[in-house]
Amino acid sequence: AAPGSAFVRALSAQAFTSTPWNRDDFSGFAFEQRQILASMKANSNNPIVLGGDLHDSYAWQLYEEGAVDGTPSAVNLVCPGVSSPGWGPF
């Protein structure tokens, strides 16, 4: 088998079954995510979600019902571990 073919097969299986890339992150808990976003919408103004341990820094918007677009519900800020070199050019 070609180098990386297992990785390609795993990605294909994830896409076919709609399995999240990382079942341990926020997208791996779709029901709970919708509950949290609905609670933030009802009880707060401009919420910020803080996260970490992704080996890099990111910032993005979270949308109502966990959608990929629409009405923003919160901002998600993620930071790396102190000793993490990050993902570099990837």
Side-chain angles (χ1 to χ4, degrees):
S5 62
F7 181 69
V8 171
R9 288 195 311 269
L11 288 179
S12 298
Q14 285 179 320
F16 182 74
T17 60
S18 299
T19 302
W21 167 258
N22 180 356
R23 294 175 52 102
D24 196 31
D25 75 357
F26 201 44
S27 63
F29 299 89
F31 175 75
E32 292 83 356
Q33 179 185 21
R34 287 191 301 274
Q35 286 184 315
I36 291 168
L37 292 173
S39 177
M40 285 191 294
K41 180 181 177 184
N43 299 298
S44 63
N45 185 18
N46 298 322
I48 298 172
V49 176
L50 301 175
D53 196 28
L54 290 180
H55 300 273
D56 233 327
S57 298
Y58 303 98
W60 64 89
Q61 290 187 339
L62 299 173
Y63 296 96
E64 288 182 348
E65 298 290 321
V68 295
D69 60 7
T71 304
S73 293
V75 172
N76 192 6
L77 303 176
V78 177
C79 63
V82 174
S83 61
S84 174
W87 291 107
F90 301 109

